Amino acid sequence: MPCAGAGAGAPAGALAWAEVAAPAGQLTLAEPVAGRPQAALLAAYLSAAKFTKAKLAIGTTHPFTAYLDGKRITDRAKPDSSAADVSTDLKLTQGKHVLLLVALSDPRGSKAWTVTARLTAADEAARAALLADADPQRAIRVLDYLNADAVSNVELSASVAALEYATGRAPVMLGKPAPEFYRSALALLRIDESEAA
């Protein structure tokens, strides 16, 4: 996930994230360069205190693709001089989500390269449950582990999940009839495999 300063010290051309203000929800990107497309990545974090429905509206005359937690949610494939908003409905589960917008400048366009984004909650209760910020920190969620490829048909305790997250290593599940199960028991008892029956 992006955070301010990520990419610092990287080779020229690498990504470097910077926190910038967007007065009235509008951000002016670089001036379009005739005949040369440019790209910008914009990111924000959306926190939902509970399951929340909202609408995201993005306005720009230039092409873009928007992603929520890595999944494409909407786009504008071609330049549109009308600058009509592109809207999509969001269903946010409890927790923190990353919203990423990949914007491209139209090298043939003459309009300024600006992007507006508005997040509208479905109702007052949903509005109170939403927060947008630039802080990548988030709480560990059970879904981080239950949706992982390595986990199947195993019940995880919160402590195992937290230990896996903290160490960055997947747990090794042992049990009968796995040979590793018996080897670990023999090692604890300090008995050589050749001496076991």
Side-chain angles (χ1 to χ4, degrees), residues 45-195:
Y45 295 91
L46 306 176
S47 297
K50 61 179 187 169
F51 176 81
T52 305
K53 290 183 180 181
K55 182 177 286 288
L56 175 66
I58 300 170
T60 183
T61 59
H62 299 267
F64 72 89
T65 302
Y67 300 87
L68 183 66
D69 296 332
K71 294 180 184 167
R72 186 178 121 348
I73 55 172
T74 192
D75 65 9
R76 169 173 280 142
K78 296 181 180 180
D80 180 356
S81 60
S82 71
D85 284 355
V86 175
S87 296
T88 187
D89 292 324
L90 302 179
K91 293 179 181 175
L92 301 170
T93 57
Q94 181 180 8
K96 197 155 216 174
H97 306 273
V98 64
L99 175 64
L100 179 68
L101 183 74
V102 180
L104 300 173
S105 70
D106 176 14
R108 295 164 291 170
S110 58
K111 294 198 174 196
W113 190 19
T114 61
V115 175
T116 60
R118 285 179 303 286
L119 185 65
T120 309
D123 56 39
E124 193 60 40
R127 184 171 316 159
L130 275 176
L131 173 68
D133 61 34
D135 182 8
Q137 298 299 317
R138 68 174 178 82
I140 299 170
R141 301 177 303 166
V142 171
L143 290 177
D144 291 338
Y145 302 98
L146 297 181
N147 290 337
D149 294 337
V151 178
S152 62
N153 300 323
V154 177
E155 292 183 24
L156 291 178
S157 70
S159 59
V160 171
L163 185 60
E164 179 183 3
Y165 185 83
T167 63
R169 297 181 65 186
V172 176
M173 303 297 176
L174 294 178
K176 296 187 280 180
E180 293 84 12
F181 174 76
Y182 295 105
R183 287 188 191 115
S184 65
L186 291 173
L188 284 172
L189 296 171
R190 297 187 179 141
I191 297 175
D192 188 72
E193 283 184 51
S194 63
E195 297 173 5

